[in-house]
Amino acid sequence: MPKIFEYFGFIFYFYSNEHEPIHVQHGGKESIFELIMMDGKLTEVRIREKHGIVPLSNKEEQTASEFIEKYDKNIIDKWVKFFVMKKAVRSTNITKKI
């Protein structure tokens, strides 16, 4: 379960046994964010709940979505490195508000 980003209490990570794009935790809650790409550009972020886990609030989902929209290329690069190239990825701590 590689953690890829930390952002003001939000933890962004992949599950190593599934290819879901990105899971986001904050304050004991968690939601799954699916990145929809077309021609190499992010066109949509779909959010869904993780079964049996309290989902992020609407405000938390908005913050996570804004982060994902800003760092989408970085997220995809880390996804490819981990799942396709089978290499370790480093977590990045983002300390500037978006």
Side-chain angles (χ1 to χ4, degrees):
M1 178 171 90
K3 177 172 65 171
I4 59 172
F5 289 105
E6 283 188 56
Y7 176 71
F8 294 94
F10 288 84
I11 307 295
F12 297 78
Y13 62 96
F14 303 129
Y15 268 99
S16 57
N17 63 341
E18 62 180 49
H19 286 194
E20 294 296 340
I22 192 165
H23 293 249
V24 181
Q25 282 185 344
H26 186 262
K29 298 175 270 185
E30 180 177 343
S31 292
I32 300 170
F33 291 74
E34 186 176 351
L35 286 68
I36 309 302
M37 308 290 287
M38 185 176 288
D39 297 325
K41 294 182 182 173
L42 181 66
T43 59
E44 182 182 356
V45 176
R46 294 182 187 157
I47 305 167
R48 62 185 168 92
E49 295 179 9
K50 183 175 177 187
H51 182 71
I53 303 291
V54 176
L56 298 176
S57 70
N58 289 340
K59 184 177 180 183
E60 291 166 328
E61 285 180 354
Q62 181 65 33
T63 298
S65 290
E66 289 171 1
F67 181 92
I68 289 168
E69 289 169 9
K70 179 161 177 70
Y71 290 95
D72 64 318
K73 290 183 184 6
N74 218 314
I75 292 166
I76 297 301
D77 288 346
K78 288 182 183 213
W79 189 93
V80 168
K81 185 176 182 180
F82 184 76
F83 286 107
V84 177
M85 300 172 74
K86 307 292 186 203
K87 294 185 177 184
V89 293
R90 288 185 163 206
S91 178
T92 305
N93 188 13
I94 306 296
T95 58
K96 286 179 109 177
K97 289 275 188 181
I98 51 174

